[in-house]
Amino acid sequence: MLAGLMESLGAPGRPGDAKDGTRPVAEGLRLLSAVVLGAATALLDVVFLLLTLPFAGRPAVRGAARRLAVLEVRRLRLDPAALDLGADLPDGQESRYLAARVPVGVLGGLVAALLVVGAGMAAALAWSWGRGLPFDGMTPSVPLLAYFLLGGGVMLFLALSGLVGVHAMERWLAARMLGPDPTEALRRRIAELAESRAGVLAAVDSERRRIERDLHDGLQQRLVALSMLVGRARRGRSELLGQAHEEAQQALAELREVAWRVYPSGLDSLGLANALAGVAERSGVPVKVVCELPVRPPMAVETASYFVVSEAVTNAAKHARATTITVEVRERGTMVVVRVRDDGVGGASAAGGGLSGLARRVAALDGRLGVDSPPGGPTTITAELPCG
């Protein structure tokens, strides 16, 4: 329970907490608000179940129960798509879930009320004794101070542990009653892994063909021209040496570009922020990069983030007629969120060659890639990559 309390409240020891002292407070307030809201919705669920009990078999009632269940799932920060809310549940399963969560929600309300009452009493005690006044007929003394500090600390720990326990119980109940059975979940996972494996193979093959095309159409032809220039210069036309030198410089630049497309060498030594700064420097469109990660993510996540930004910036510069591009990389919970936004003409399709390859690369890490590109713009590409 203590481990769950520390994890839910963002206790010290989690990466990044030392840099953000407000995070435990924010997480604690979020947890408290979720439990209090759950207590309120539990009372609404009771009213709904009592009013619709005579009509429980009607499709309209089941649809309303499903909508309430979706609201509860979102309150608990669960993914409705990962549960069976988008599929066929047994008749009345949503109503049974709402009935089962009522006592848990009421318990959460009682624990929250105990916490509020205890905090109020502690504030009243401190206010009275701080002004030299007795509290409930008691004047401050060392034994009383020790008694209230010890008792208050124990009660605070129990109340906070109760909040964590209620929240965890609600999440478990939603996953247990609204989620697929273990066999179905395993079948879905196997299908997802098979699909992502096929996507990775297709992405690797597509990247290999693109590298081969770049080498053949660009670098190889430039090296052939360089060889011809050097041959002509050797036959006495020294004025061609300058042109040969320029061709050699162009060939080196193209070779360096191809190498960066394969894998950016600076990503290992310098990190994601510096690698993205290199993407911005090479872009023909102004790019603003904001990379705020408290700790360095796993290498696979860094690599996928880099290629998402690189491909999105390249597409915006070549096809969207953008004038500015903004790149944001931030941590959100256990996810690294990469967002690339441009002010171009829009109309980008997630099924396009480059973006579909990115989607497969992101899906291979159990991540999600979203493309929002209405005609006329702007275009926003968002990748969510799990890192914990």
Side-chain angles (χ1 to χ4, degrees), residues 225-245:
L226 174 61
S227 176
M228 295 175 62
L229 285 172
V230 172
R232 294 167 64 186
R234 290 181 61 187
R235 290 194 294 268
R237 300 189 61 180
S238 58
E239 69 274 7
L240 296 178
L241 289 177
Q243 187 176 349
H245 180 265

Side-chain angles (χ1 to χ4, degrees), residues 285 313-325 342-346 376 379:
V285 177
V313 169
T314 300
N315 287 346
K318 287 185 177 180
H319 308 298
R321 300 198 297 270
T323 59
T324 58
I325 303 173
D342 68 70
D343 61 351
V345 297
T379 296

Side-chain angles (χ1 to χ4, degrees), residues 75-87:
R75 176 182 62 85
L76 297 171
R77 292 193 173 186
L78 296 175
D79 184 7
L83 304 178
D84 267 345
L85 289 172

Side-chain angles (χ1 to χ4, degrees), residues 126-343:
W127 173 260
S128 298
W129 283 4
R131 301 176 61 190
L133 301 176
F135 176 78
D136 198 18
M138 296 179 292
T139 56
S141 63
V142 174
L144 278 178
L145 284 173
Y147 172 78
F148 279 116
L149 287 175
L150 179 61
V154 172
M155 293 299 295
L156 178 62
F157 173 79
L158 293 177
L160 295 178
S161 300
L163 289 177
V164 173
V166 168
H167 190 66
M169 190 181 302
E170 285 206 276
R171 291 172 62 92
W172 174 85
L173 189 64
R176 179 67 179 84
M177 299 192 68
L178 301 177
D181 60 65
T183 303
E184 179 63 23
L186 181 60
R187 187 180 297 112
R188 290 183 183 181
R189 183 57 178 162
I190 292 174
E192 291 175 358
L193 291 176
E195 182 180 357
S196 64
R197 178 179 178 272
V200 169
L201 292 177
V204 170
D205 188 56
S206 176
E207 188 68 21
R208 184 185 297 114
R209 289 197 300 270
R210 187 173 74 167
I211 294 171
E212 181 181 1
R213 184 171 59 251
D214 290 342
L215 292 175
H216 181 273
D217 296 342
L219 185 59
Q220 179 176 321
Q221 294 184 10
R222 192 172 295 279
L223 289 177
V224 170
L226 174 61
S227 176
M228 295 175 62
L229 285 172
V230 172
R232 294 167 64 186
R234 290 181 61 187
R235 290 194 294 268
R237 300 189 61 180
S238 58
E239 69 274 7
L240 296 178
L241 289 177
Q243 187 176 349
H245 180 265
E246 182 179 348
E247 288 288 339
Q249 294 296 107
Q250 292 292 335
L252 287 174
E254 290 187 11
L255 182 60
R256 190 178 300 112
E257 182 68 22
V258 172
W260 269 88
R261 288 182 182 179
V262 176
Y263 186 82
S265 58
L267 192 58
D268 289 333
S269 57
L270 301 178
L272 182 59
N274 286 280
L276 296 183
V279 173
E281 290 176 1
R282 294 191 303 275
S283 174
V285 177
V287 179
K288 177 183 178 182
V289 177
V290 178
C291 185
E292 297 178 349
L293 297 176
V295 294
R296 191 166 180 177
M299 182 55 63
V301 174
E302 276 194 334
T303 304
S305 301
Y306 170 83
F307 280 109
V308 166
V309 173
S310 180
E311 185 69 27
V313 169
T314 300
N315 287 346
K318 287 185 177 180
H319 308 298
R321 300 198 297 270
T323 59
T324 58
I325 303 173
T326 302
V327 176
E328 297 179 357
V329 182
R330 289 188 170 91
E331 180 182 308
R332 188 173 67 194
T334 60
M335 309 288 285
V336 169
V337 180
V338 181
R339 182 172 289 107
V340 182
R341 179 184 176 92
D342 68 70
D343 61 351

